[in-house]
Amino acid sequence: GVPPMLGWMRGFIKTPWAFALFALLVVSFGVFYSQDPFKGVSGGGFVSVGNREVTQRDVNRETENQIERIREEQKQVITAKEAAQRGLTQQVFQSLVYRNTVLAYADKIGVKASPSAVSNLLQNAPRFKDPLGRLDMNAVRAYANEQKTTWPKLEQDIRDDITFGYIQEAAFGGIKAPEVLVKPMLAYFGEQRTLTVARINEKTLTEPKPPTPEEIKTYYDANKDKFRQPERRRLSVLSYSAKDYVDKVNVTEEQVQAEYTRRIREFSGPESRDIVQFTGKDRATVQNFVDTVKQGNSIEDAVKKVPGIIPVDLTLKPGDLTDKSYNDQVFAVPASMLNQLLGPVKVGESYFAIEIKKITPGAPRPLAEVAPSLRETLRNNAANKMFSDSEESFYDMAGGTSLEEIGKNIGAPIIQLAPVDSNARTHNGLSSSLLLAHPEEARSLFTLGQGQMTDVINSEITDNQTGAKLPARFIFRVDEIVPPAVPPMAEIETDLRNAIMAQKVQEAADKAANSIVAAVKAGTPFAKAAADQKMSVLPGIVVNRAQQQQAISPTVVTGAYDLKQGDIALIRGEGSEPWVVQVDKVEPVSSETQGMIRQQLGQQIEQSLQNSIQEVFFRGVQSVVKPKMNDKAIKAYFDGLTKEEAQ
């Protein structure tokens, strides 16, 4: 389908060099100007460049999209404040400024994607094709509506995306890594080291003695901050859905019969279609035939007038045509288009025109067989309507009625949730699925005071029995604000005991590893020193900086490059595991790995070069289109992100 508005930016932010580029843009453009080289902007806009503008609404909308992406991909709910603290909001702002500056430059030099470029993009999107493969503008407008925009605005966004791509490709498409840069990096990343390593195993350590009460108390007093719980909110939620109305619906046999008659085609076997397929030697011949009919000639007369047209009568059932796309097109033609000429349709290297002569329905299933599902559908549809009709009265109640009264009036229960933090997690690390499904509302809960309620939330639930999606409404209330606190020692005694046991294991593992290092330095062979400590030995491991080594931790490989040939040391891997590493040999890159590393390094150098060139390019574009910054509004916006969250 068509990429969502600003889809280029959403993908770009995920790239590994986006952070480096944005750092350069911050330097070259600045989020908060102390000395603005351009004339300021007044009003609510942040940046004005040519006829284009970056507003607070733009930044808010795209930041929300990024927060939603984090929720979907990482299953993590973050607040607007946390997005700003992570630099996400600043990245969004800088990318919007960059995009609009480049587009303003394109406007000035007269570069603009043509309407045909937009049309070609839409025509290549399957969701916008009609049964005969033509562009369906109704589907395009429906998509624009889904994106909460209009077709003219969507068209402009698509043209801007294509135009932006033109400029980017022209500026950076030909960057290649020069050999003078590749060679020294190849020597650095390709340098090979042969290592002997030792690591702990299940026989290395014995289970330490459980901590005494005195040890637990001492550890607790010294490490309270490790166990401090963040602020949480204890919540109540009132929810009701269309399912709550199902039992109130009475479906008559007459209604079931009427629904059966209306949908009889769904319950029938495969229909058959009598068609006439017209072939010609090439597309031009078939197109000439179709045009002749459109000029007012009958199909029969057109066959006589256009040389080379061959009609073939076919009776088909779904699947009879081996080309799936062609088969689907034939059976998607509605009955209202009987005896009309359609096409040309391309199938492989051939072109056809088709005429649907007759549609013969398949035999229907008996009413008694489908009545239960029909009755269920009618009941759910009626329940959905009753739910929809209740919207106005529900909103009226939510305007000033207590949660308990609302629940009593609509017959819906109030559910108490365990206290959750801003990531919708309880003190034991469990997540609230209800809050994870409504990230914006989860964030807004931390702006409310005790006793305050959210606005009405329109959403949906899944019926556990049928799997159907049903519309639903929710209201959350903050019952209690649980401040940050360190739990009493008795409450977390198990966690304390586990932490002390883990610390003792770590100390024992470190002692074993250090004993090997000391023994080898004193002259004991590596294998014997490791055997004395019951640690496993992995000899002859060849590593370099460019390749992932499966046998040992990447952090251990990195640490090994801080050693010289013949050195031995304890290096920590993931989870603070102690590895004993001895560097047996240091040698230049091997011919076997040189080609792969060269290709990989070339890509990295090209990205680095593009970062530098991008900064220069951006400065040059600035000097041409002269962006205007509303420094005061920008600074107030970013300052206010934290202040608003704290209120």
Side-chain angles (χ1 to χ4, degrees):
V2 175
M5 184 169 52
L6 301 184
W8 69 273
M9 188 183 69
R10 294 170 192 166
F12 174 71
I13 283 178
K14 300 180 187 179
T15 61
W17 54 283
F19 290 96
L21 173 58
F22 287 137
L24 293 174
L25 297 184
V26 169
V27 173
S28 65
F29 212 151
V31 174
F32 310 127
Y33 269 45
S34 56
Q35 293 181 341
D36 187 356
F38 305 121
K39 182 180 177 182
V41 179
S42 61
F46 285 165
V47 182
S48 174
V49 50
N51 293 323
R52 298 175 181 272
E53 189 177 30
V54 177
T55 67
Q56 178 175 330
R57 182 180 179 185
D58 297 329
V59 179
N60 286 342
R61 182 179 60 222
E62 192 54 40
T63 301
E64 283 297 322
N65 289 333
Q66 293 298 326
I67 289 172
E68 178 65 14
R69 177 180 64 80
I70 291 172
R71 185 187 73 82
E72 292 177 356
E73 296 180 2
Q74 303 177 19
K75 307 302 180 188
Q76 183 181 12
V77 178
I78 67 172
T79 65
K81 174 183 176 181
E82 290 168 332
Q85 289 174 336
R86 296 184 183 188
L88 179 64
T89 312
Q90 288 85 343
Q91 292 170 30
V92 166
F93 173 74
Q94 291 295 339
S95 60
L96 286 169
V97 171
Y98 177 73
R99 180 178 193 262
N100 281 275
T101 302
V102 171
L103 288 172
Y105 174 71
D107 295 340
K108 191 173 184 67
I109 65 175
V111 174
K112 187 174 185 179
S114 66
S116 63
V118 177
S119 178
N120 290 337
L121 180 65
L122 295 175
Q123 287 174 346
N124 288 327
R127 68 176 297 168
F128 298 145
K129 291 183 179 180
D130 68 7
L132 295 179
R134 298 170 299 192
L135 179 62
D136 183 353
M137 286 306 299
N138 289 329
V140 174
R141 292 187 179 91
Y143 174 81
N145 187 58
E146 291 173 15
Q147 299 298 311
K148 299 179 181 178
T149 187
T150 63
W151 160 236
K153 182 69 170 64
L154 178 63
E155 181 183 29
Q156 184 59 50
D157 288 330
I158 296 172
R159 292 185 75 176
D160 283 348
D161 279 349
I162 297 173
T163 303
F164 182 83
Y166 291 163
I167 299 296
Q168 289 287 95
E169 180 63 26
F172 313 117
I175 295 176
K176 297 296 180 184
E179 190 67 15
V180 68
L181 293 179
V182 173
K183 281 187 175 181
M185 294 185 71
L186 184 64
Y188 174 79
F189 284 101
E191 177 190 292
Q192 293 185 164
R193 297 200 167 200
T194 303
L195 312 176
T196 298
V197 302
R199 67 181 304 191
I200 60 174
N201 58 57
E202 67 277 3
K203 297 180 180 179
T204 306
L205 307 172
T206 58
E207 184 175 352
K209 293 180 179 180
T212 65
E214 291 75 17
E215 287 179 298
I216 295 176
K217 177 66 166 60
T218 300
Y219 187 86
Y220 175 76
D221 290 339
N223 296 276
K224 286 184 177 181
D225 283 343
K226 292 182 180 179
F227 299 94
R228 184 177 298 278
Q229 295 292 313
E231 178 184 303
R232 288 191 166 87
R233 302 287 169 107
R234 187 184 301 276
L235 310 171
S236 289
V237 57
L238 180 146
S239 68
Y240 80 109
S241 70
K243 188 174 182 179
D244 293 313
Y245 290 93
V246 170
D247 292 338
K248 302 175 183 179
V249 176
N250 179 39
V251 178
T252 67
E253 294 304 318
E254 290 76 11
Q255 289 174 308
V256 174
Q257 176 66 60
E259 184 72 3
Y260 176 73
T261 302
R262 187 179 71 84
R263 296 168 55 189
I264 188 68
R265 187 174 177 182
E266 288 181 38
F267 308 117
S268 301
E271 66 180 28
S272 63
R273 295 196 168 201
D274 295 341
I275 76 167
V276 183
Q277 179 178 271
F278 302 90
T279 60
K281 64 178 182 178
D282 52 28
R283 179 188 176 93
T285 302
V286 178
Q287 186 67 61
N288 184 23
F289 171 61
V290 173
D291 292 343
T292 301
V293 173
K294 289 181 178 179
Q295 291 166 7
N297 295 282
S298 69
I299 294 177
E300 292 74 14
D301 289 343
V303 171
K304 297 174 183 177
K305 290 184 177 182
V306 179
I309 291 295
I310 302 173
V312 178
D313 293 316
L314 299 172
T315 298
L316 304 170
K317 289 185 177 180
D320 286 352
L321 293 169
T322 55
D323 187 283
K324 183 179 184 305
S325 176
Y326 184 36
N327 182 87
D328 292 345
Q329 291 174 20
V330 167
F331 282 88
V333 176
S336 60
M337 299 181 70
L338 286 176
N339 302 310
Q340 295 184 32
L341 190 64
L342 306 170
V345 178
K346 185 178 181 182
V347 182
E349 299 301 318
S350 303
Y351 291 90
F352 301 138
I354 59 173
E355 177 191 11
I356 310 297
K357 301 289 291 184
K358 180 182 178 184
I359 299 176
T360 304
R365 295 161 61 190
L367 172 60
E369 184 178 324
V370 298
S373 64
L374 286 174
R375 189 173 289 106
E376 184 70 19
T377 298
L378 289 169
R379 185 178 288 114
N380 286 336
N381 289 345
N384 287 345
K385 185 177 186 306
M386 294 172 69
F387 174 82
S388 179
D389 292 343
S390 71
E391 180 177 10
E392 185 174 348
S393 61
F394 184 73
Y395 271 84
D396 289 343
M397 285 188 290
T401 309
S402 71
L403 208 60
E404 286 72 18
E405 290 179 56
I406 299 173
K408 182 179 180 180
N409 288 335
I410 66 174
I414 296 173
I415 302 170
Q416 277 76 40
L417 304 179
V420 294
D421 61 19
S422 59
N423 290 319
R425 294 189 178 277
T426 64
H427 76 282
N428 55 7
L430 299 178
S431 298
S432 168
S433 58
L434 185 60
L435 289 172
L436 286 177
H438 303 90
E440 291 183 22
E441 287 69 30
R443 292 190 292 272
S444 73
L445 288 167
F446 280 79
T447 67
L448 300 180
Q450 186 168 319
Q452 290 185 306
M453 297 191 299
T454 63
D455 294 332
V456 177
I457 303 164
N458 287 292
S459 185
E460 61 183 18
I461 63 170
T462 302
D463 189 316
N464 293 331
Q465 294 180 340
T466 65
K469 298 290 186 180
L470 300 175
R473 297 188 183 102
F474 301 89
I475 299 179
F476 290 98
R477 182 181 64 198
V478 177
D479 291 337
E480 181 186 358
I481 299 176
V482 182
V486 177
M489 188 177 75
E491 187 176 309
I492 58 171
E493 188 169 343
T494 299
D495 293 337
L496 292 167
R497 183 176 289 104
N498 291 338
I500 294 171
M501 293 287 282
Q503 180 176 292
K504 289 184 176 183
V505 169
Q506 181 72 61
E507 291 171 352
D510 289 352
K511 181 179 178 181
N514 283 321
S515 296
I516 296 176
V517 173
V520 171
K521 287 183 176 180
T524 304
F526 191 104
K528 183 178 186 313
D532 290 343
Q533 299 300 325
K534 299 180 180 179
M535 290 181 69
S536 303
V537 177
L538 304 174
I541 297 176
V542 179
V543 299
N544 61 51
R545 290 184 175 96
Q547 292 177 299
Q548 182 78 20
Q549 173 53 250
Q550 299 297 325
I552 60 176
S553 164
T555 58
V556 173
V557 174
T558 301
Y561 276 87
D562 292 331
L563 305 178
K564 296 189 287 291
Q565 182 167 320
D567 284 354
I568 184 172
L570 183 157
I571 299 175
R572 297 203 180 279
E574 282 77 7
S576 294
E577 178 187 354
W579 295 67
V580 179
V581 179
Q582 178 174 276
V583 179
D584 300 325
K585 188 188 301 183
V586 177
E587 54 192 341
V589 60
S590 68
S591 58
E592 290 80 7
T593 59
Q594 190 171 15
M596 185 279 298
I597 298 177
R598 176 180 290 274
Q599 180 180 8
Q600 180 180 341
L601 290 176
Q603 295 172 349
Q604 293 176 349
I605 294 172
E606 287 168 13
Q607 287 183 352
S608 179
L609 288 172
Q610 181 158 334
N611 291 352
S612 300
I613 295 172
Q614 191 121 13
E615 181 190 2
V616 176
F617 168 74
F618 187 56
R619 288 181 183 274
V621 169
Q622 283 180 358
S623 68
V624 174
V625 296
K626 295 180 169 53
K628 301 172 183 177
M629 307 288 290
N630 188 338
D631 303 328
K632 185 176 181 180
I634 295 170
K635 189 174 188 305
Y637 172 75
F638 282 99
D639 286 347
L641 285 175
T642 302
K643 293 177 182 178
E644 289 173 6
E645 285 283 325
Q647 290 176 353

